[in-house]
Amino acid sequence: MKTKLIRVNDQHIDASLMREAGNIIKEGGLVAFPTETVYGLGGDALNPLSSEKIYRAKGRPSDNPLIVHIADMDDLGVIVREIPENAEKLAKTFWPGPLTMIFQKSNRVPYETTGGLDTVAVRMPMHPVARELIRAAGGFIAAPSANRSGRPSPTLAKYVTEDMDGRIDMIIDSGDVEIGLESTIVDLTTEEPTILRPGYITKQMLEEVLHEVEEDKTMMRADTGQAPKAPGMKYRHYAPKGDMTLVSGDAGRVAEYINEQIDFFKKQNKKTGVIGTDDNIAVYRADICKSVGKADDEKMIARKLYSVLREMDDEDVEIIYAESFGTSGIGQAIMNRLLKAAGHKVISV
Ligand code: TXA
Ligand code: MG
């Protein structure tokens, strides 16, 4: 299959290009598109064949449900059985935006889209190109992140091309994304609203709207003995090819420990990499040293994290050490992704 690459300026959206892209989805094809979180791989959410195609293109296990993207609140009622009051409150505050909510699904949503579940994940993205595309495609786009299964989510169209060229009909390039980590997922089908995946919208922000919000215990720990409630979170998902370890503690000691390890692995002729921050990236002796920005600029770290993980792959780094970060604000989402990338291998020094 030849993948058509188009460029759409999000300030001046070309309506005829959006119609072309929307028609591809309506006809059962796949189009990758930008959202404010990461690039998504879109197909018609109400067409079971489209969802099957998405799984195939990603190489993704088909028990891992897809998020249905909508552009208008009126469309929510089509795909869910009921809209709990809490969901209405959250939608008023955070939609459009980087929040996904889990509902009981209506009969209109095929099990192929929900990975066999009776619930459906729904998000209303904010990115203007995403919104136009959803409308042009008939209102309901199922879209996982547009990476091959197991790779970091794409924050640039070139990463989508790396993973999806020849496997999908079209890629819409609108430059880099704003947030860089996937949406926060909140389950509203349980007694207490529960966060299944941390993101830009934090627990604190949610609790300003709802009374109390629980967290899936498996988000930040590997030793709970439970399976994550979001099926996708059980996979070693954001992982680079190299063997990655997180190091936490006082910045000076972290740098010292990492450099000792780097020296050790270099002697064994391993290609080494360090993921750090501007503050001390210069002190590392690894073959490849990449900064994710200033240590106190969490938003920048979120935006750069996945491209840095991909660069480690591009350089064929075999041993990766990463500094760890604070967990306030979006820091929790950053650490959640890093912990998964490292298979929860953390050294405290
Ligand atoms: O920011 C995002 O959410 C991006 C953009 C493209 O919108 N999408 C995204 O989709 O991250 P994906 O497929 O890579 O991740 C969806 C996550 C998976 O962990 C999946 O298991 C979970 O959402 N999920 C989907 N439907 C669910 C459901 N009904 N119950 C529990 N978890 C669900
Ligand atoms: Mg994903």
Side-chain angles (χ1 to χ4, degrees):
M1 177 189 294
K2 180 141 179 54
T3 302
K4 184 169 180 180
L5 178 65
I6 63 171
R7 164 102 217 148
V8 174
N9 182 334
D10 54 11
Q11 303 300 314
H12 305 277
I13 297 175
D14 182 329
S16 71
L17 283 179
M18 297 316 286
R19 261 196 309 278
E20 183 186 341
N23 284 336
I24 291 175
I25 291 180
K26 277 183 177 163
E27 286 158 15
L30 302 185
V31 176
F33 63 99
T35 83
E36 67 275 20
T37 56
V38 298
Y39 275 78
L41 172 56
D44 181 354
L46 306 186
N47 180 350
L49 298 177
S50 296
S51 294
E52 281 171 1
K53 271 193 194 167
I54 291 176
Y55 289 115
R56 235 175 295 137
K58 273 184 73 92
R60 175 178 186 154
S62 58
D63 68 340
N64 189 358
L66 307 173
I67 296 174
V68 180
H69 296 67
I70 58 173
D72 297 286
M73 199 60 194
D74 287 346
D75 289 336
L76 182 60
V78 176
I79 52 175
V80 308
R81 231 177 32 221
E82 54 170 356
I83 303 174
E85 204 186 315
N86 282 339
E88 222 157 296
K89 285 188 192 160
L90 291 179
K92 268 206 184 93
T93 314
F94 298 113
W95 276 2
L99 177 72
T100 296
M101 293 191 261
I102 311 282
F103 299 86
Q104 297 295 337
K105 80 171 192 70
S106 79
N107 292 334
R108 293 289 300 280
V109 185
Y111 282 112
E112 284 78 359
T113 299
T114 66
L117 298 177
D118 286 313
T119 55
V120 61
V122 186
R123 170 157 117 81
M124 188 191 291
M126 188 165 52
H127 197 291
V129 174
R131 296 171 66 76
E132 287 301 310
L133 180 68
I134 293 165
R135 292 192 177 119
F140 307 94
I141 293 187
S145 47
N147 51 289
R148 291 289 294 273
S149 193
R151 302 209 71 200
S153 297
T155 49
L156 288 169
K158 74 169 182 190
Y159 297 139
V160 181
T161 301
E162 264 176 38
D163 282 15
M164 292 296 165
D165 194 32
R167 305 175 73 85
I168 63 178
D169 300 281
M170 181 183 266
I171 298 172
I172 302 176
D173 180 357
S174 298
D176 51 4
V177 298
E178 207 178 303
I179 295 176
L181 296 179
E182 307 84 348
S183 61
T184 306
I185 303 180
V186 181
D187 190 350
L188 294 163
T189 65
T190 46
E191 196 135 321
E192 298 288 341
T194 307
I195 302 174
L196 307 186
R197 179 174 73 182
Y200 183 87
I201 310 279
T202 61
K203 181 171 193 277
Q204 196 186 346
M205 288 158 78
L206 294 166
E207 285 184 339
E208 278 167 25
V209 180
L210 305 184
H211 229 41
E212 223 184 301
V213 178
E214 301 286 318
E215 284 176 320
D216 185 347
K217 297 283 177 296
T218 65
M219 276 183 350
M220 308 303 282
R221 290 170 45 191
D223 58 355
T224 59
Q226 294 166 14
K229 295 197 176 72
M233 298 297 278
K234 71 174 180 268
Y235 299 105
R236 191 163 169 262
H237 193 183
Y238 310 94
K241 290 177 202 144
D243 184 19
M244 181 163 154
T245 307
L246 276 175
V247 185
S248 74
D250 163 77
R253 299 233 317 270
V254 166
E256 204 178 306
Y257 174 83
I258 290 180
N259 270 335
E260 279 166 23
Q261 297 301 307
I262 295 296
D263 291 344
F264 172 81
F265 284 108
K266 274 180 140 175
K267 273 193 208 124
Q268 302 186 4
N269 288 320
K270 297 279 189 200
K271 188 158 185 188
T272 58
V274 169
I275 298 174
T277 54
D278 289 356
D279 310 59
N280 52 2
I281 195 72
V283 309
Y284 290 112
R285 297 193 285 265
D287 300 308
I288 306 292
C289 299
K290 297 277 179 190
S291 170
V292 286
K294 289 206 191 79
D296 60 1
D297 187 351
E298 283 149 4
K299 287 188 179 154
M300 181 57 76
I301 296 172
R303 205 177 297 158
K304 288 178 80 170
L305 180 64
Y306 284 155
S307 59
V308 166
L309 287 176
R310 275 181 182 262
E311 285 163 14
M312 290 290 162
D313 278 358
D314 294 345
E315 301 278 359
D316 293 315
V317 173
E318 296 170 274
I319 302 289
I320 305 167
Y321 279 88
E323 297 177 359
S324 65
F325 303 95
T327 54
S328 70
I330 198 174
Q332 187 191 24
I334 294 168
M335 280 305 287
N336 165 267
R337 308 308 193 270
L338 272 172
L339 284 164
K340 283 167 64 65
H344 285 269
K345 213 163 8 128
V346 187
I347 308 270
S348 301
V349 295

